[in-house]
Amino acid sequence: MRHGEVHNPEGVLYGRMSGYHLSDLGRRMAQRVADVIGDRDITHLRSSPLERARETAQPLATARDLEVVEDERVIESTNVFQGEPFGAGARTLLKPTTWRHLWNPFKPSWGEPYADIVERMGAAIEDARVAAEGHEAVVVSHQLPIWTMRLHVEDRSFLHDPRKRQCTLCSLTTLHFEGDRITKVTYSEPAGDLIPARDKGAPFSAGGASEERRP
């Protein structure tokens, strides 16, 4: 599960910075997800330690009477542009001083290697699967880690256009297991109707309809 909308009037790439909380709309999104899946057989809930993720997890924790396990392994990815403006009209990537970080989109050269993201996310997901064996688990994380893990599971290239990530605010990217083997990936947007049009696309990141994909 990706976190909900964040209060970020300056439009900065907040990455792993502390102090960024859900907006009022973000809290509505988180409650919507809890309302939609709160009656499912969810027995384990873990979250990135960042405020926006923990606040997104809380309505579901309340609905299921679960403790939220904080897990550093599902935190946002690192990014050299953290703290820089990336809102409407921002020209951060047009500055020649930033170009030295953009030479390798396959790694990527501006942040945490995709392979490292997959390793830590995969380990956390496996621990969640074991903790909820025979039931369901929810992991609240961030767009790039979730999308990178999906690309890995579906055996797709990590090279992608950030604006085309299928991982909107408070969306659910679900890994289905048989034993310890992932058999399919499904995607849904319980709070999709609440997402402002401006946020339908994804900005350069640190880091509706349901769709099914098979690895």
Side-chain angles (χ1 to χ4, degrees):
M1 177 180 176
R2 185 186 172 193
H3 63 79
E5 185 188 71
V6 176
H7 180 66
N8 180 21
E10 295 82 15
V12 302
L13 184 70
Y14 36 72
R16 294 185 177 183
M17 296 168 63
S18 62
Y20 284 87
H21 298 266
L22 292 184
S23 65
D24 290 342
L25 178 57
R27 287 189 284 273
R28 287 174 56 203
M29 291 176 175
Q31 185 60 56
R32 168 70 67 80
V33 176
D35 292 342
V36 170
I37 67 171
D39 61 349
R40 296 186 63 89
D41 186 24
I42 298 165
T43 62
H44 181 77
L45 178 58
R46 68 178 57 207
S47 169
S48 159
L50 295 175
E51 295 98 330
R52 59 191 185 270
R54 290 189 283 107
E55 291 167 2
T56 299
Q58 193 53 56
L60 185 58
T62 300
R64 297 296 305 165
D65 193 23
L66 293 173
E67 176 185 356
V68 180
V69 177
E70 290 188 18
D71 193 333
E72 287 277 353
R73 296 173 297 180
V74 300
I75 199 170
E76 178 63 281
S77 62
T78 57
N79 193 305
V80 297
F81 298 111
Q82 179 173 295
E84 294 288 337
F86 273 85
R91 302 172 63 84
T92 300
L93 296 182
L94 299 180
K95 299 177 182 177
T97 54
T98 68
W99 296 347
R100 63 190 175 92
H101 298 296
L102 303 175
W103 63 274
N104 185 358
F106 292 93
K107 188 177 180 179
S109 52
W110 56 81
E112 183 179 9
Y114 293 126
D116 291 356
I117 296 174
V118 167
E119 182 177 6
R120 62 178 173 85
M121 286 288 288
I125 290 168
E126 174 61 14
D127 284 353
R129 182 194 69 80
V130 171
E133 194 157 11
H135 307 277
E136 298 183 49
V138 172
V139 178
V140 183
S141 186
H142 308 267
Q143 187 189 68
L144 182 56
I146 295 170
W147 183 245
T148 301
M149 192 66 195
R150 178 172 173 177
L151 292 177
H152 169 72
V153 169
E154 296 180 343
D155 197 25
R156 291 196 273 166
S157 171
F158 291 137
L159 183 63
H160 67 278
D161 182 343
R163 295 168 297 180
K164 296 182 179 179
R165 293 173 187 157
Q166 189 181 42
C167 188
T168 59
L169 295 166
C170 271
S171 60
L172 299 172
T173 301
T174 305
L175 305 180
H176 299 255
F177 287 85
E178 289 184 5
D180 61 356
R181 185 172 67 90
I182 298 173
T183 58
K184 66 179 179 180
V185 179
T186 57
Y187 175 80
S188 62
E189 300 177 358
D193 62 305
L194 299 178
I195 300 173
R198 68 177 185 276
D199 293 327
K200 292 289 186 180
F204 182 90
S205 176
S210 177
E211 169 182 280
E212 177 177 312
R213 303 246 181 173
R214 293 188 182 274

